[in-house]
Amino acid sequence: MGGRSLLSRLLLAVPAIVLIGTGAAVAQEAVTLRMILVAPEDRWNTLLEAAQEKFAAEHPDIELSLDVQILPFADRLTQLRAAAIAGTPLDIVSLDQPEVGDFAAAGFTSDLTERIDQDLDGLSDWLPAYREATRFEGGWHAIWAWTDARVMWYWKDLVAAAGVDPATDMATWQSYLESCQKLDEAVSDQGASGCLLIGQPWIADWTFPYVWMSQGDIGFAVNAELAEDQGAAEAWVPSLASEAWIEALQFTRDQVDAGIEPFTEHQFGTEFVNRSFAVSLDGTWVLGALKGAGADLGQVGMIGAFPVPSADTTTATMAGGWTLAIPSSSENPDVAWDFLKAMLDISTLGRLQTEFGYLPTRASFTTELEEQFTSFWNEGDVDRWAELTELAPHAYGRPSFPSWPQVGAAITDMVQNVMFDDKDPQAAAQDAQRTVLVDVLGWPAETTVEVHDDAGGSCEHDDLDRQLPAITPVQQTADADGSGMFCSHVVLP
């Protein structure tokens, strides 16, 4: 819903004089927090109302009002960038995870590191992928509030008609292709197709998991001083020409060659709810759409995995969701921080996640709210929550820096060139690597990155290396001593 939220039109404040335990009156400071958040509105109504109750109980000396704009996904960036340019006072905003670096570099967001270290123990309760993904130049500029994941959905009756068991018959790339062909034949008389292959630009987000599981990566953060010396736009080097990327692109091509036609009208679950596909690699948001449509959830199976190249490969998925930040233009940063903490509490954010089907970024939520999560996800007597908890450690975010939109566009072009134009996967990968490396980022052609262990807690070449948290599978493999860190090493031509 666009425009100003219903919530923003409510007077969300307590009286200006409050009586406390002794009967003494305490004068209140009137504070209004201004926010720009991304639709849908109902989730924010739930979260903000709960957060305000908690805040009021903890801060009886503050008369708090909220002025909230809840904007459609397509409009919010325009409004946020306009606010950044104009210096419009804002106190809390929601950002998509890859956008954090862009807004941080522009000076739009506040560095929350000192507050996070003091009040949230350095985000120690956040799973590593979510803890590290909102840093920019070493500091936290946002906090990842909730997430989602890409998983495999299927209609039990449709897969049964083909004699396919998705858990075993669609686990590997080859068996997935064969099963999709069987499903096409079995369900065509019901007006359905076997498997969904997204043909929209966001197909890149569905390709990353195949790269990660194959010990590849999108790219690597590198030594910032070296990047500056080379005149590069970012201290980041892509790894798009790797064997992992070529294999992932080949699997995309193999799906098309197997008769899985790219679906260019993907609407994030609607087509699965309508039973247009027997099997759908789509987001966890699909369950909410199914519930909203009154579907028989006992007939809906879910596997917390993408197909893997071979049976001995660990699956992976991409994590989405939203982060919360405090703009540097905030006129009430201390109050905004205290309210943001209230929004992130298990009594508020946990309630939102368990009622709306969002996945937790905090480890404690998973255990302390297990009963509530199980109740939401396992409706229809299907154990989906166990699948999601097993998948959680294998979910990874995207890079976050100012040039990411251009990098992401080049990756989308690469995937779609293979999908629609029958471009050779190796040639597509090499062309995309050159485009991003040289044209977008300004690194010398043929620059590459090697990864290795931070033996002894430091990197070997101070002028060429950078020590980083080991998050993705290839980074964890490089972390031979299990310290949780690895080194990226730039190899210049």
Side-chain angles (χ1 to χ4, degrees):
M1 182 179 295
R4 193 167 298 275
S5 161
L6 169 65
L7 188 61
S8 70
R9 299 195 295 269
L10 301 177
L11 180 60
L12 295 177
V14 291
I17 299 294
V18 176
L19 297 179
I20 58 177
T22 61
V26 176
Q28 289 186 295
E29 176 189 4
V31 176
T32 297
L33 294 182
R34 296 173 175 84
M35 308 181 189
I36 292 181
L37 307 171
V38 66
E41 181 177 328
D42 54 352
R43 64 183 176 189
W44 296 111
N45 289 344
T46 297
L47 179 58
L48 294 177
E49 288 170 3
Q52 184 148 27
E53 289 179 10
K54 180 174 178 58
F55 181 91
E58 295 176 347
H59 300 276
D61 57 325
I62 295 177
E63 178 192 359
L64 183 65
S65 299
L66 303 182
D67 181 1
V68 185
Q69 294 183 68
I70 298 180
L71 302 175
F73 181 88
D75 297 342
R76 74 207 159 78
L77 280 179
T78 301
Q79 294 289 339
L80 285 172
R81 287 176 175 144
I85 293 171
T88 303
L90 288 171
D91 299 293
I92 295 175
V93 297
S94 60
L95 298 173
D96 199 3
Q97 177 260 321
E99 298 164 357
V100 173
D102 190 6
F103 281 98
F108 177 73
T109 54
S110 300
D111 188 335
L112 301 175
T113 305
E114 184 176 346
R115 296 181 187 273
I116 286 173
D117 284 338
Q118 177 176 323
D119 294 348
L120 297 176
D121 192 27
L123 300 184
S124 61
D125 190 36
W126 273 251
L127 296 172
Y130 308 118
R131 181 169 59 244
E132 298 301 328
T134 55
R135 288 185 187 268
F136 179 73
E137 294 185 347
W140 278 298
H141 283 257
I143 298 175
W144 204 331
W146 66 79
T147 188
D148 51 49
R150 282 82 182 143
V151 296
M152 185 185 296
W153 296 95
Y154 62 92
W155 287 103
K156 291 183 178 181
D157 60 323
L158 296 182
V159 298
V164 169
D165 178 358
T168 56
D169 298 336
M170 306 187 81
T172 65
W173 289 358
Q174 183 58 39
S175 64
Y176 180 84
L177 296 174
E178 294 170 355
S179 295
C180 287
Q181 291 175 319
K182 288 182 181 179
L183 284 163
D184 262 341
E185 295 176 4
V187 303
S188 60
D189 62 344
Q190 300 186 48
S193 299
C195 298
L196 170 68
L197 174 61
I198 295 170
Q200 294 275 36
W202 45 87
I203 182 57
D205 295 348
W206 274 251
T207 309
F208 297 145
Y210 300 127
V211 176
W212 288 320
M213 67 178 66
S214 300
Q215 290 288 309
D217 221 323
I218 304 171
F220 300 96
V222 299
N223 187 292
E225 292 183 3
L226 175 63
E228 184 176 357
D229 290 344
Q230 295 297 316
E234 306 288 355
W236 186 88
V237 173
S239 59
L240 305 178
S242 68
E243 191 63 31
W245 266 104
I246 295 170
E247 291 174 358
L249 293 172
Q250 183 61 56
F251 180 54
T252 298
R253 185 68 237 170
D254 290 345
Q255 291 178 72
V256 176
D257 290 343
I260 307 174
E261 184 177 351
F263 185 66
T264 59
E265 298 179 12
H266 177 244
Q267 294 297 322
F268 299 95
T270 302
E271 48 284 328
F272 180 75
V273 173
N274 293 340
R275 293 172 60 88
S276 297
F277 296 91
V279 174
S280 179
L281 290 169
D282 213 327
T284 45
W285 51 77
V286 168
L287 187 61
L290 288 163
K291 289 189 176 190
D296 179 1
L297 297 182
Q299 286 296 315
V300 180
M302 191 208 78
I303 298 172
F306 266 42
V308 295
S310 60
D312 59 352
T313 303
T314 301
T315 194
T317 191
M318 198 203 83
W322 291 91
T323 74
L324 296 170
I326 297 177
S328 55
S329 63
S330 174
E331 297 177 340
N332 304 285
D334 293 336
V335 177
W337 173 249
D338 285 340
F339 191 80
L340 180 57
K341 286 191 297 180
M343 293 174 70
L344 297 169
D345 191 74
I346 193 169
S347 66
T348 55
L349 184 59
R351 173 185 167 187
L352 172 80
Q353 292 172 352
T354 57
E355 289 185 8
F356 285 79
Y358 300 130
L359 301 181
T361 55
R362 302 181 66 169
S364 63
F365 285 26
T366 303
T367 53
E368 294 181 34
L369 298 175
E370 181 178 8
E371 181 179 349
Q372 293 92 325
F373 279 120
T374 299
S375 175
F376 180 92
W377 285 99
N378 292 0
E379 187 174 337
D381 200 27
V382 178
D383 193 358
R384 305 179 190 92
W385 181 241
E387 292 281 334
L388 292 171
T389 54
E390 187 174 345
L391 180 63
H394 310 296
Y396 311 104
R398 291 156 288 180
S400 178
F401 47 76
S403 301
W404 173 250
Q406 298 97 303
V407 173
I411 294 173
T412 293
D413 288 344
M414 170 178 63
V415 178
Q416 292 196 312
N417 285 339
V418 171
M419 179 181 288
F420 293 110
D421 300 332
D422 199 21
K423 188 168 183 176
D424 175 70
Q426 182 172 358
Q430 291 172 344
D431 288 350
Q433 175 73 6
R434 189 178 307 109
T435 296
V436 173
L437 181 70
V438 179
D439 299 341
V440 175
L441 301 180
W443 283 95
E446 308 304 325
T447 299
T448 59
V449 174
E450 297 174 351
V451 295
H452 55 82
D453 189 36
D454 66 326
S458 62
C459 299
E460 183 177 356
H461 305 96
D462 290 341
D463 57 338
L464 297 173
D465 295 359
R466 179 172 175 177
Q467 189 180 35
L468 298 159
I471 303 297
T472 64
V474 67
Q475 296 169 9
Q476 294 176 29
T477 298
D479 175 27
D481 64 4
S483 67
M485 305 293 290
F486 78 104
C487 295
S488 65
H489 173 76
V490 176
V491 180
L492 294 169

